[in-house]
Amino acid sequence: MNNFPKLQKKSKAEWDSLVHSKEPVIHLGMASCGKAAGADKVKTVVLNTLKQNKIKAKVVEVGCIGTCYLEPIMDITAHGNPRLSFGNVDEKWAEIILRKYLIEKEHNRNKVLGHFGTIPFNGVPSFYEQPMLKDQVRIVTKNCGIIDPSDIKQYIANEGYVGLSKALEMKPGEIIELIKNAGLRGRGGAGFPTGIKWRTCHDTKSGEKYLICNADEGDPGAFMNRLLIESDPHALLEGMVIAAYAIGVTEAIIYIRAEYPLAIVRLNNAIEQMKEYNLIGNNILGSKFSLHLKLKEGAGAFVCGEETSLIHSIEGKRGMPRTRPPFPAVSGLYGKPTVINNVETLGTVAHIVRNGADWYKQFGVDGNFGTKTFSLVGKIRRSGLIEVPLGTTLRKIIFDIGGGTQKEFKAVQTGGPSGGCIPKELLDTPVTYETLAKVGSIMGSGGLIVMDSDTCIVDLAKYFLDFIQKESCGKCTPCRVGTRHMFEILEKICNGQAEPDYLDKLESLANLVKTTSLCGLGQTAGNPVLTTLRYFRPEYIEHVDGYYCPALVCRSLIEYEVIKGRCTGCQRCVSVCPTGAISGPRSEPHNLDTNKCIKCRACYEICRFDAIAGNAIVITSGKEA
């Protein structure tokens, strides 16, 4: 028997009761970013303040709305007013805001971000008019930061599981055609058409088939999947049940790295709630379809993001790729047909089933329909999780949504360590799978690392190659040996030990590794090198021929000094120098002892008068060093 309509009605009633509660309701952002910013301490202050002032109120934990730079975030609904959001709320401000608003009925304008009502309120704009949010299209992330991720009824009250209920009334083939017609492409990086993958698995004859969600998000600077699961786990789970039904799967697995403890807790809680309401298990919602789901915690190997490596890990083997074909959709887990989709791909499915292919195709551009989530990090004013239509330009993402950089913009790395470094001359590039490939980069899972003039491009390439060569599984020689050699060349360039022909060798080696490696890790390993050589070759040459790092990052190539004519003796640099290398009385020009200086940049970063300069070191025997 399908009890979903009754559950839906009850859930909406409870949600309306919360939204229009006579008691104050306090929502606290409690995803990992909020907790890292001090949300747990803020919650303690909130509970104590309510108790001390004998105020009856409901305290609800929500996830992250995406504006991570504003965490901790606290929302308050009271006095019949719309839900007000307050940002950067520390322990002190939490008490001030609560007392001021709940007792004196005045909101603090210094911290208020906006409201979630439909009409203007007392001079406070809509929260969605925040600079970081106003140009976004929130489909996958629509519930993030709004609902309690631990309460399935709040998800259901906001159109949750409507897609599943509708899907169970359709034939599996109809769902596959719907996803195919919507043009949904895999959001894990390669952009392969989801409907084609599903159709291949569906049509492959087998008594057993599997569905795997790849939640092994391992790119430095990427946290899209983690925040979605922490903030709205049912979005993923509903999509998984629909996908399993369409493909003909009765067993599904979420492969998630153990480094995501909060996401794991919220997934396990959500699955238990699904069992309680017959949304997973036997005869789902009174249908003949059954699905059993389990979590597999990965140890954090980056290579296990590759499909066949992930499969080997689930099977209890070492996470190493195998040659393809056969592809997993034909022969995957335990040799059975297997579909592997990432978190965002599956999180999109229910929206398409609920609203239709034409609705989905109104977003994005031809061949790249829908939206894409990105983690916007690095030297950016407004960091966090964003969701924009595919085809949005890098300029709009970085400057309109992210607020640009404090210092001069230099480049953006897309696609994580396997992606490419794109310069400011290409900021008007629309973000699609094909356009990013054309400029030498990839979409990846959605990491965007922004760099300014203080970033050394050579050091950046070295950082990513260090990561890649350590994460290589070692199965194929080009990746195992080639990435190590690339890293060693970059290390010599940064240390002033490079020969003039090193750049040509580096480029040749990167191309060799790219064309001869077994899996995607090695095939994209050269991207950071190839794009930085392509767009920033003069900076490499300055390192090799001039023995100088213009960004003042490579310690072996620079030496700091105090410019006497600019130094005011404010002693800010003295206070941050960890070795006592800078000295001098207040209000008089300081001195810098190069023998004590460890080149940590602390003085350079804190000086307000440009009185700290980095000069090239005269290298006479660097190549023999």
Side-chain angles (χ1 to χ4, degrees):
M1 181 178 177
N2 186 356
N3 292 317
F4 183 71
K6 183 185 291 186
L7 174 61
Q8 189 180 41
K9 184 178 180 180
K10 183 178 180 182
S11 298
K12 286 182 177 179
E14 290 186 14
W15 176 256
D16 288 341
S17 176
L18 182 69
V19 171
H20 303 291
S21 173
K22 293 181 180 180
E23 293 181 354
V25 180
I26 300 162
H27 290 86
L28 296 172
M30 299 293 280
S32 291
C33 52
K35 287 175 173 287
D40 285 315
K41 293 179 180 178
V42 170
K43 181 182 177 181
T44 300
V45 170
V46 168
L47 295 174
N48 288 339
T49 303
L50 294 174
K51 183 178 180 180
Q52 290 168 6
N53 292 275
K54 298 180 180 179
I55 299 172
K56 289 185 177 181
K58 300 173 183 176
V59 179
V60 180
E61 294 187 11
V62 296
C64 175
I65 201 165
T67 53
C68 301
Y69 76 105
L70 292 173
E71 294 286 359
I73 292 177
M74 178 174 72
D75 300 347
I76 305 177
T77 308
H79 315 308
N81 297 330
R83 179 170 164 180
L84 291 185
S85 187
F86 300 83
N88 298 131
V89 179
D90 58 15
E91 297 163 78
K92 175 186 173 183
W93 273 107
E95 184 175 1
I96 293 172
I97 291 168
L98 287 173
R99 290 180 183 276
K100 192 81 174 173
Y101 192 41
L102 297 185
I103 298 174
E104 300 177 27
K105 299 185 179 181
E106 292 184 13
H107 60 268
N108 192 293
R109 294 186 180 273
N110 292 325
K111 292 291 183 179
V112 70
L113 301 172
H115 69 83
F116 291 94
T118 56
I119 57 175
F121 166 70
N122 198 18
V124 178
S126 166
F127 185 83
Y128 293 109
E129 287 301 309
Q130 279 284 322
M132 191 175 188
L133 290 168
K134 66 180 182 180
D135 291 317
Q136 294 189 44
V137 175
R138 295 171 63 86
I139 296 176
V140 181
T141 60
K142 82 180 188 76
N143 289 328
C144 296
I146 304 299
I147 68 170
D148 180 353
S150 67
D151 187 348
I152 191 172
K153 292 181 182 177
Q154 290 195 19
Y155 178 74
I156 292 172
N158 288 274
E159 300 184 296
Y161 290 106
V162 171
L164 173 59
S165 180
K166 184 177 180 179
L168 291 174
E169 296 174 355
M170 301 168 66
K171 294 179 180 179
E174 292 175 339
I175 299 172
I176 293 174
E177 284 304 304
L178 175 62
I179 298 300
K180 187 177 177 180
N181 292 336
L184 177 63
R185 298 172 66 173
R187 295 301 194 248
F192 189 81
T194 304
I196 294 177
K197 183 184 286 189
W198 287 14
R199 172 62 68 186
T200 302
C201 186
H202 175 275
D203 292 348
T204 301
K205 303 298 181 183
S206 177
E208 291 179 272
K209 295 179 182 179
Y210 295 97
L211 170 68
I212 300 173
C213 171
N214 182 354
D216 190 57
E217 185 177 50
D219 296 15
F223 49 83
M224 300 77 57
N225 296 345
R226 172 174 59 77
L227 277 193
L228 179 61
I229 294 172
E230 290 178 356
S231 304
D232 193 15
H234 289 285
L236 162 62
L237 295 169
E238 182 180 8
M240 288 193 73
V241 180
I242 294 171
Y245 172 68
I247 299 161
V249 166
T250 58
E251 185 172 344
I253 300 165
I254 299 176
Y255 186 89
I256 184 169
R257 53 182 47 222
E259 297 160 1
Y260 283 0
L262 181 58
I264 291 170
V265 167
R266 290 190 171 163
L267 274 176
N268 281 322
N269 176 71
I271 292 169
E272 290 304 311
Q273 290 180 328
M274 290 176 72
K275 291 177 181 177
E276 182 181 351
Y277 294 107
N278 190 219
L279 293 163
I280 204 165
N282 295 322
N283 305 115
I284 295 172
L285 295 181
S287 69
K288 295 180 180 180
F289 174 63
S290 301
L291 177 69
H292 300 279
L293 190 152
K294 64 180 180 181
L295 267 60
K296 165 69 176 178
E297 295 182 27
F302 181 65
V303 74
C304 284
E306 193 275 337
E307 289 186 338
T308 58
S309 297
L310 183 153
I311 288 171
H312 285 153
S313 179
I314 293 175
E315 292 174 340
K317 303 171 185 176
R318 184 176 177 185
M320 301 177 78
R322 63 162 171 80
T323 54
R324 298 179 299 178
F327 292 94
V330 174
S331 178
L333 186 64
Y334 307 120
K336 305 298 182 181
T338 304
V339 162
I340 303 176
N341 288 136
N342 93 320
V343 172
E344 186 179 348
T345 309
L346 292 165
T348 306
V349 168
H351 298 282
I352 295 174
V353 173
R354 190 172 64 246
N355 298 303
D358 290 339
W359 167 83
Y360 187 69
K361 291 171 78 171
Q362 71 179 302
F363 308 108
V365 295
D366 190 30
N368 285 261
F369 297 113
T371 59
K372 179 75 187 77
T373 61
F374 295 97
S375 56
L376 197 54
V377 297
K379 302 294 184 66
I380 192 82
R381 283 189 173 93
R382 297 191 284 262
S383 60
L385 176 69
I386 66 170
E387 183 177 1
V388 296
L390 285 168
T392 304
T393 64
L394 288 169
R395 186 183 302 277
K396 189 172 191 66
I397 291 173
I398 294 167
F399 288 91
D400 294 350
I401 296 175
T405 53
Q406 294 283 357
K407 296 186 178 181
E408 183 183 0
F409 172 84
K410 188 170 189 175
V412 59
Q413 177 86 5
T414 73
S418 298
C421 194
I422 302 174
K424 60 183 178 182
E425 292 81 11
L426 296 175
L427 275 172
D428 291 315
T429 300
V431 178
T432 69
Y433 292 96
E434 290 74 23
T435 52
L436 289 180
K438 190 175 180 179
V439 298
S441 190
I442 59 173
M443 182 81 70
S445 58
L448 290 177
I449 303 175
V450 178
M451 292 155 271
D452 64 12
S453 55
D454 279 347
T455 304
C456 171
I457 289 297
V458 186
D459 180 71
L460 177 83
K462 186 184 76 169
Y463 168 80
F464 284 127
L465 259 296
D466 182 40
F467 177 86
I468 290 171
Q469 61 93 17
K470 287 176 178 175
E471 293 292 339
S472 171
C473 73
K475 182 175 183 178
C476 71
T477 302
C479 182
R480 182 183 70 249
V481 178
T483 56
R484 180 65 191 174
H485 280 324
M486 280 193 284
F487 171 73
E488 289 172 349
I489 291 174
L490 288 166
E491 198 169 36
K492 287 183 178 180
I493 293 173
C494 289
N495 290 337
Q497 300 170 344
E499 300 286 349
D501 64 343
Y502 273 29
L503 299 189
D504 291 334
K505 288 182 177 179
L506 183 61
E507 189 169 17
S508 175
L509 184 56
N511 279 312
L512 178 67
V513 173
K514 183 175 184 177
T515 55
T516 59
S517 291
L518 174 62
C519 81
L521 187 148
Q523 292 163 7
T524 57
N527 285 345
V529 168
L530 293 171
T531 52
T532 52
L533 281 171
R534 178 178 175 182
Y535 300 120
F536 299 94
R537 202 175 193 93
E539 192 164 332
Y540 274 91
I541 293 172
E542 199 157 4
H543 279 70
V544 175
D545 294 342
Y547 303 113
Y548 182 59
C549 175
L552 307 182
V553 171
C554 301
R555 298 186 183 189
S556 298
L557 302 180
I558 55 173
E559 188 171 82
Y560 289 98
E561 71 165 334
V562 175
I563 302 175
K564 302 293 184 180
R566 295 181 183 174
C567 181
T568 64
C570 68
Q571 295 206 317
R572 283 166 62 87
C573 57
V574 174
S575 66
V576 297
C577 181
T579 61
I582 302 179
S583 61
R586 181 176 292 278
S587 301
E588 293 184 16
H590 295 338
N591 297 305
L592 192 155
D593 186 343
T594 57
N595 293 320
K596 292 182 179 180
C597 180
I598 59 172
K599 305 172 187 177
C600 65
R601 287 175 60 98
C603 59
Y604 175 80
E605 295 285 352
I606 203 170
C607 182
R608 295 176 296 180
F609 306 102
D610 294 326
I612 306 292
N615 303 317
I617 295 177
V618 178
I619 297 180
T620 57
S621 58
K623 294 168 188 176
E624 292 81 27

